[in-house]
């Protein structure tokens, strides 16, 4: 028996669908509080020292957190090549905007304190805000467009043709709602982190904004679910599914209809755990932030992020990128993956390196545990951001 035959092809495809979800959720949870903290920066800190306090809550860890974004992009490239080709080329302008915003983060962290000028530092503080707000918004907008379907199709030769035109066509009402949900969710999560790492006036302001963000998350998540059930057409495979066959997106038939994205919850009721976590986690973050239970608030906001991101995945399964102009071309778990051997080798490598990343990250957070206060910032100007 060939080694990779130890795991069936269809099983490997589901495993990699789950792993992709884990990596994307890992990015949303770990790098998400960095983005949320940067978005909060101009509002919860009123002077230079307070801003440095907020910046130093994420300054030592944001680079490690961004590893999850790299892992997610790498997994899409290697495990789901058609998905990578369509999303990274079709959403090129949106990806470029995210990349530009993310580039502002390291530059802002490194350069804001290079000059003792209020205007200079204020400019970099707003650059850090852009580096947090813009990715949070655009990633949510992208998810909203994925749920509605993306304008691409495959030719009979399996050549991808993307028929979208501009970045602005992505800014439709439902996608903007998803973008606002993403911002609210990550601001809530970032506020939970800042509350854990600070005290005093910064923490009090953060508590107010975090509570508002948690309430907005609940409301926007509910509105998104209602809109999805009533106004957004979902996709369903109507032909026989060759779960272990070669990847060929055109070897199926697909129908569209209102409410289909919610059909999985009737077929597999356990999937309702995802949206329940989304609501319960946000409600818990709201409560625990007000009660000043800082660690519990961060765990609750993490659970909410997990649930909201997972809700998208389980609602769409087995679809991973539907096509709005040719439903048959939609990419699914069963027809968009790499080969059996490639998925097996990647699984073996992932089983070795992801635990190492988790272990190292845990060690870093243990070493950096504790609050950042103004006295530490003033006394350690040579090392603090």
């Amino acid at each position: 028996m060939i080694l990779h035959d130890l795991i069936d092809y269809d099983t490997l495809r589901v495993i990699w669908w789950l792993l992709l979800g884990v990596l994307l959720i890992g990015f949303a949870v770990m790098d998400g509080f960095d983005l949320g903290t940067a978005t909060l920066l101009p509002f919860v800190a009123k002077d230079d020292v307070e801003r440095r306090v907020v910046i130093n809550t994420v300054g030592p860890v944001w680079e490690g957190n961004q590893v999850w974004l790299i892992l997610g992009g790498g997994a899409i490239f290697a495990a789901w090549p058609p998905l990578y080709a369509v999303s990274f080329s079709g959403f090129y302008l949106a990806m470029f905007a995210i990349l530009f915003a993310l580039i502002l983060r390291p530059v802002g962290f490194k350069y804001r304190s290079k000059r003792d000028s209020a205007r200079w530092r204020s400019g970099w503080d707003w650059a850090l805000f852009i580096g947090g707000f813009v990715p949070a918004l655009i990633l949510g907008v992208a998810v909203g467009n994925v749920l509605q379907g993306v304008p691409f199709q495959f030719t009979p030769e399996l050549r991808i043709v993307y028929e979208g035109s501009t970045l602005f066509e992505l800014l439709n009402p439902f996608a903007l709602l998803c973008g606002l949900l993403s911002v609210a969710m990550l601001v809530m999560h970032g506020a939970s982190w800042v509350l854990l790492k600070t005290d005093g006036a910064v923490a009090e302001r953060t508590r107010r904004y975090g509570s508002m963000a948690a309430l907005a998350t609940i409301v926007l998540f509910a509105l998104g679910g209602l809109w999805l059930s009533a106004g957004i057409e979902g996709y369903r495979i109507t032909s026989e599914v060759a779960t272990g066959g070669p990847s060929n997106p055109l070897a199926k038939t697909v129908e569209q209809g209102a409410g289909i994205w919610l059909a999985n919850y009737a077929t597999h009721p356990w999937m309702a755990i995802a949206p329940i976590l989304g609501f319960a986690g946000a409600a818990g973050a709201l409560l625990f932030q007000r009660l000043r239970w800082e660690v519990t608030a961060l765990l609750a906001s993490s659970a909410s992020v997990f649930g909201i991101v997972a809700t998208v995945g389980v609602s769409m399964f087995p679809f991973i990128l539907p096509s709005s102009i040719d439903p048959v071309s939609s990419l699914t778990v069963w027809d968009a993956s790499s080969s059996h051997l490639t998925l097996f080798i990647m699984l073996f490598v992932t089983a070795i390196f992801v635990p190492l990343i988790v272990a190292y990250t845990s060690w870093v957070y243990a070493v950096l545990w504790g609050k950042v206060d103004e006295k530490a910032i003033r006394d350690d100007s040579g090392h603090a951001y």
Side-chain angles (χ1 to χ4, degrees):
M1 176 185 292
I2 300 175
L3 187 60
H4 68 269
D5 288 334
L6 292 172
I7 306 178
D8 295 336
Y9 195 14
D10 51 349
T11 303
L12 272 173
R13 282 169 159 164
V14 174
I15 289 173
W16 269 102
W17 174 78
L18 290 170
L19 284 174
L20 178 60
V22 168
L23 295 175
L24 294 179
I25 290 170
F27 164 67
V29 171
M30 299 301 296
D31 205 29
F33 69 72
D34 296 340
L35 301 178
T37 298
T39 304
L40 283 167
L41 176 62
F43 308 103
V44 301
K46 298 303 183 182
D47 58 36
D48 183 64
V49 174
E50 288 185 349
R51 292 191 182 100
R52 291 185 65 198
V53 167
V54 174
I55 290 170
N56 275 272
T57 64
V58 295
V61 298
W62 74 269
E63 289 175 292
N65 293 340
Q66 200 160 271
V67 167
W68 292 96
L69 175 62
I70 298 169
L71 289 175
I76 293 173
F77 172 77
W80 311 98
L83 173 62
Y84 180 89
V86 175
S87 58
F88 279 72
S89 59
F91 292 156
Y92 180 80
L93 291 177
M95 294 291 182
F96 187 82
I98 292 173
L99 180 61
F100 174 78
L102 290 177
I103 288 173
L104 289 175
R105 287 205 297 176
V107 181
F109 283 129
K110 300 299 183 182
Y111 278 86
R112 102 172 274 285
S113 296
K114 294 294 185 182
R115 293 179 58 187
D116 189 14
S117 164
R119 179 176 295 181
W120 170 270
R121 294 186 174 188
S122 176
W124 285 116
D125 289 340
W126 283 105
L128 289 172
F129 166 80
I130 293 171
F133 176 81
V134 170
L137 178 68
I138 294 182
L139 288 171
V141 167
V143 171
N145 280 279
V146 168
L147 285 166
Q148 296 174 91
V150 178
F152 75 95
Q153 62 181 329
F154 284 91
T155 68
E157 297 79 23
L158 295 183
R159 184 173 64 87
I160 299 170
V161 179
Y162 181 81
E163 298 190 8
S165 55
T166 67
L167 175 64
F168 295 102
E169 72 179 5
L170 302 178
L171 304 178
N172 55 77
F174 179 73
L176 286 172
L177 173 67
C178 293
L180 292 175
L181 170 59
S182 176
V183 171
M185 175 185 74
L186 296 185
V187 167
M188 169 191 69
H189 193 38
S192 296
W193 173 255
V194 175
L195 284 173
L196 179 67
K197 299 291 289 182
T198 66
D199 51 23
V202 171
E204 289 303 315
R205 295 188 202 103
T206 301
R207 187 172 289 107
R208 291 197 299 271
Y209 283 104
S211 298
M212 290 187 290
L215 182 60
T217 299
I218 295 171
V219 172
L220 292 171
F221 192 33
L223 288 175
L226 292 173
W227 199 333
L228 198 66
S229 65
I232 303 297
E233 289 193 335
Y235 294 68
R236 178 190 292 124
I237 299 175
T238 56
S239 59
E240 185 177 351
V241 179
T243 59
S247 292
N248 180 5
L250 300 182
K252 64 179 181 297
T253 57
V254 176
E255 70 171 358
Q256 292 177 263
I260 291 180
W261 281 148
L262 303 183
N264 277 343
Y265 299 106
T267 307
H268 307 288
W270 62 268
M271 289 184 172
I273 295 172
I276 290 172
L277 267 180
F279 284 115
L286 173 61
L287 174 63
F288 299 133
Q289 286 178 7
R290 304 307 298 177
L291 292 175
R292 294 172 170 79
W293 295 5
E294 298 157 352
V295 174
T296 312
L298 182 62
L299 292 175
S301 65
S302 298
S304 181
V305 173
F306 179 100
I308 291 172
V309 177
T311 296
V312 177
V314 299
S315 298
M316 292 178 59
F317 185 85
F319 289 87
I320 52 179
L321 190 66
S323 169
S324 60
I325 59 175
D326 181 25
V328 172
S329 294
S330 300
L331 302 177
T332 74
V333 171
W334 314 122
D335 57 27
S337 73
S338 293
S339 68
H340 191 176
L341 178 60
T342 299
L343 295 183
F344 181 81
I345 293 173
M346 288 176 58
L347 182 62
F348 179 76
V349 173
T350 300
I352 295 173
F353 286 101
V354 169
L356 291 176
I357 293 171
V358 172
Y360 174 75
T361 301
S362 301
W363 176 78
V364 168
Y365 278 89
V367 170
L368 295 174
W369 188 260
K371 291 186 180 291
V372 180
D373 56 36
E374 295 185 12
K375 182 177 184 301
I377 294 298
R378 291 191 176 98
D379 293 345
D380 196 14
S381 58
H383 296 87
Y385 286 94

